[in-house]
Amino acid sequence: MTPFPMTALTDVFTEPSDVDPETLNNLGPLRRLAGRWRARKGVDLNPKAEGPERRAFIESIDFQAIDPQANGPQLLYGLRYHIHITTEEEDITFHDQVGYWLWEPATGLVMQTIAIPRGQVAIAAGQATPDANEIVVTATRGQTEYGICSTSFLEQAFRTDHYKITITFHPDGSWSYVTDTELLVHGRNVPFAHQDRNTLQRVGEAKPNPLAMILAKRKAG
């Protein structure tokens, strides 16, 4: 059973007819994420053979609007994102991640999809109001709704049992996140609390979604 409200399933085929094509005007609490962001003082706490390691990192995140998405009567507005993280010590990418942040105005459902190039994907979900100053979404291993899926190696070596991200918006326009991931590391009986945190500053604005740009050009012409 989903812990989040759903519209009663009667007609699952008919899509809404009154869809606003302007995604940036319909993102609810996600609106303040739209655009490009950067920070140089992120902190990562991760497991190593000799014990927990704390690393500072440099992070760039790009959130761009996508066209409205319909699952039959369900209507979602969202942002496509790409996270790229490096460190001062190394040139190679420290972390790369892509996915979507999605908002369902009818129910207040917020979702984050996650894909990382080490063989792991997840869908996390939570509830928020349109003007919320905080967003919290979670995912749990073993769930078919809002769950975590990993490769065989990760399941055996660094099993991810739970994921949570808390985003906080600040009055100056910046925003912070804390990501808490519960890992069961091979050979250890106690779960490891893997955490990342950062505060990001805007370095660029978001573009309108593709449909909105098409309609704007058509109107101007």
Side-chain angles (χ1 to χ4, degrees):
M1 295 291 290
T2 175
F4 305 107
M6 286 182 57
T7 302
L9 295 179
T10 52
D11 176 4
V12 299
F13 296 103
T14 303
E15 297 184 357
S17 59
D18 57 345
V19 177
D20 185 343
E22 298 279 353
T23 293
L24 290 176
N25 295 335
N26 293 276
L27 287 170
L30 303 180
R31 176 65 185 90
R32 285 180 279 184
L33 292 177
R36 294 184 293 111
W37 305 83
R38 188 168 171 81
R40 301 187 65 88
K41 296 182 179 180
V43 177
D44 172 78
L45 182 66
N46 63 85
K48 296 294 182 182
E50 60 276 12
E53 177 191 60
R54 185 179 296 272
R55 294 283 300 274
F57 60 82
I58 303 164
E59 182 169 17
S60 297
I61 310 182
D62 187 19
F63 295 93
Q64 295 298 331
I66 61 172
D67 286 342
Q69 304 292 307
N71 292 322
Q74 183 184 44
L75 179 63
L76 304 171
Y77 289 92
L79 297 166
R80 180 181 63 253
Y81 73 88
H82 176 216
I83 298 173
H84 184 250
I85 295 177
T86 57
T87 65
E88 296 284 2
E89 302 83 21
E90 298 178 314
D91 293 327
I92 192 169
T93 298
F94 184 64
H95 180 78
D96 197 272
Q97 180 177 319
V98 296
Y100 296 92
W101 277 93
L102 302 169
W103 162 250
E104 185 180 21
T107 65
L109 175 66
V110 180
M111 292 180 283
Q112 181 195 19
T113 71
I114 301 161
I116 60 175
R118 295 193 298 275
Q120 191 171 63
V121 296
I123 301 179
Q127 291 289 133
T129 59
D131 58 350
N133 289 317
E134 182 179 271
I135 299 171
V136 180
V137 297
T138 63
T140 303
R141 175 181 174 272
Q143 296 295 316
T144 56
E145 298 177 349
Y146 316 121
I148 301 164
C149 185
S150 308
T151 64
S152 297
F153 173 80
L154 289 178
E155 276 287 295
Q156 297 176 50
F158 301 99
R159 194 181 79 197
T160 302
D161 286 338
H162 190 262
Y163 166 87
K164 174 183 176 182
I165 184 169
T166 302
I167 290 177
T168 303
F169 297 105
H170 305 300
D172 66 357
S174 66
W175 59 278
S176 302
Y177 72 81
V178 178
T179 300
D180 292 298
T181 309
E182 184 179 288
L183 302 176
L184 187 61
V185 180
H186 177 70
R188 302 177 185 176
N189 296 323
V190 178
F192 180 84
H194 177 208
Q195 186 176 91
D196 295 290
R197 58 175 61 237
N198 210 349
T199 298
L200 294 108
Q201 305 290 333
R202 185 186 297 276
V203 294
E205 298 295 329
K207 299 177 182 177
N209 55 292
L211 176 60
M213 289 192 286
I214 290 171
L215 296 178
K217 288 181 180 179
R218 187 175 296 164
K219 184 177 180 180

